[in-house]
Amino acid sequence: MAEENFLTRQFEANRDHLRAVAYRMLGASGEVDDAVQEAWLRLSRSDTSDVANLRGWLTTVVARICLDMLRARKSRREDPMGPHVPEPVDETREREAEMADSVGAALLVVLETLQPAERLAFVLHDLFAVPFEEIAPIVGRSVDASRQLASRARRRVQGAPVPEADLSRQRKIVDAFLKASREGNFEGLLAVLDPDVVFRADDAAVRLGTLPEIRGADAVAQLYKGRAQAARTALVDGEMGVAVILGGHLRIALRISFRGDRITGIEALADRERVAALEVEVLEG
């Protein structure tokens, strides 16, 4: 009972902070309170005896919950639930108004245009100073890829388009990677892979016959040597990547991370729900 009371006090002490995180992730909607309540349920069911920073732990939990909500919302192709939803009920209107004033309606409108992972990376890092090392496992990407997400989101928030030169350069890298892969050109693959490149696959991709993680240029080049026959260069959620099209359907999406002129990370997504939630544009020519 004493431990439960302690957790309750700690949670209540952080409730406003958690609502602020959820609000910036989800917008002015009833989902904010749902996310915070779910965080409390997870806290009450968890062993937090080894948690040194409960505020940070709760922030991560709320962020994961909100990310799931955003992805579910996107997969249902619902209209964004941002600042233009119906007014909240009386008992919450004043609190929502105060939060809206603190965030700014203009920022909320821009946040609604971001992809779920972009929004999370930007909100946690730029608005709540969460390090990318903690953001990376939440979005299921590398630290470098998480940093790219936030950078891309930051440019959109600031009204600056993603430099076409960057996308053009990255496309050439991906095109070269796929060409070398199809031709079984091992040296060609090594030329575009960073020596410390990391390949990661979700559970669905692992079931198709790959390892969950492969590190190093030699190992990743060996994996892709002689493959990619059905792969096409594509924009995956607005970022340069790869779409694997089989039978006229998108089966696998590869998220690609870059450093300079080399590929530093490849994330293979084959889970049907996750793939369906992606915005993928195959680049022809």
Side-chain angles (χ1 to χ4, degrees):
M1 182 63 69
E3 181 179 355
E4 182 178 343
N5 290 337
F6 172 76
L7 288 177
T8 300
R9 291 195 300 272
Q10 290 296 306
F11 186 83
E12 289 303 323
N14 286 287
R15 181 182 288 274
D16 287 346
H17 166 73
L18 298 178
R19 291 197 82 254
V21 173
Y23 183 79
R24 286 157 177 80
M25 287 290 297
L26 299 170
S29 76
E31 288 179 310
V32 170
D33 287 323
D34 290 342
V36 174
Q37 180 62 23
E38 177 62 24
W40 162 249
L41 292 175
R42 296 190 187 186
L43 173 64
S44 65
R45 298 168 185 157
S46 301
D47 179 6
T48 58
S49 57
D50 293 332
V51 176
N53 181 1
L54 188 60
R55 183 185 179 93
W57 187 89
L58 286 168
T59 300
T60 297
V61 169
V62 165
R64 290 183 185 276
I65 294 167
C66 291
L67 183 60
D68 288 342
M69 286 181 168
L70 288 173
R71 284 172 171 166
R73 184 193 298 174
K74 186 174 184 294
S75 67
R76 293 193 301 268
R77 295 297 188 264
E78 295 178 348
D79 292 332
M81 297 180 66
H84 301 295
V85 299
E87 289 186 350
V89 295
D90 290 342
E91 61 266 26
T92 61
R93 183 182 291 116
E94 182 177 351
R95 183 167 53 181
E96 294 284 9
E98 291 175 354
M99 295 182 76
D101 287 343
S102 69
V103 178
L107 176 58
L108 287 176
V109 171
V110 177
L111 289 178
E112 290 293 345
T113 69
L114 303 178
Q115 296 297 326
E118 287 179 334
R119 186 166 180 165
L120 184 143
F122 173 77
V123 166
L124 289 188
H125 182 267
D126 285 41
L127 303 185
F128 293 97
V130 177
F132 288 115
E133 288 76 11
E134 295 179 20
I135 295 172
I138 301 176
V139 295
R141 304 196 190 184
S142 68
V143 173
D144 283 345
S146 300
R147 189 176 288 109
Q148 287 181 12
L149 284 175
S151 177
R152 186 178 186 86
R154 195 177 302 116
R155 286 195 293 266
R156 292 183 181 180
V157 168
Q158 294 170 349
V162 177
E164 289 296 328
D166 284 357
L167 291 178
S168 177
R169 174 178 55 82
Q170 292 172 359
R171 179 173 182 176
K172 291 179 181 178
I173 297 170
V174 173
D175 286 343
F177 169 74
L178 293 181
K179 182 175 185 293
S181 177
R182 296 188 191 104
E183 296 175 352
N185 183 349
F186 188 78
E187 294 300 323
L189 287 167
L190 291 180
V192 295
L193 294 173
D194 186 89
D196 298 320
V197 62
V198 178
F199 166 86
R200 292 187 176 90
D202 66 8
D203 291 341
V206 171
R207 288 193 293 271
L208 294 176
T210 189
L211 295 174
E213 183 174 291
I214 300 173
R215 291 180 173 270
D218 284 354
V220 174
Q222 193 62 49
L223 171 68
Y224 279 99
K225 181 181 177 183
R227 302 180 68 175
Q229 302 304 318
R232 300 291 182 268
T233 304
L235 289 175
V236 179
D237 282 347
E239 300 178 359
M240 200 59 60
V242 173
V244 178
I245 311 295
L246 296 171
H249 298 284
L250 175 65
R251 300 299 185 187
I252 303 172
L254 302 183
R255 289 189 175 123
I256 310 293
S257 303
F258 304 88
R259 183 186 299 121
D261 294 328
R262 299 290 184 97
I263 293 172
T264 59
I266 302 173
E267 180 187 8
L269 303 176
D271 179 82
R272 289 186 179 182
E273 291 187 2
R274 294 185 70 186
V275 170
L278 298 171
E279 292 187 5
V280 177
E281 178 187 352
V282 175
L283 303 177
E284 304 293 348

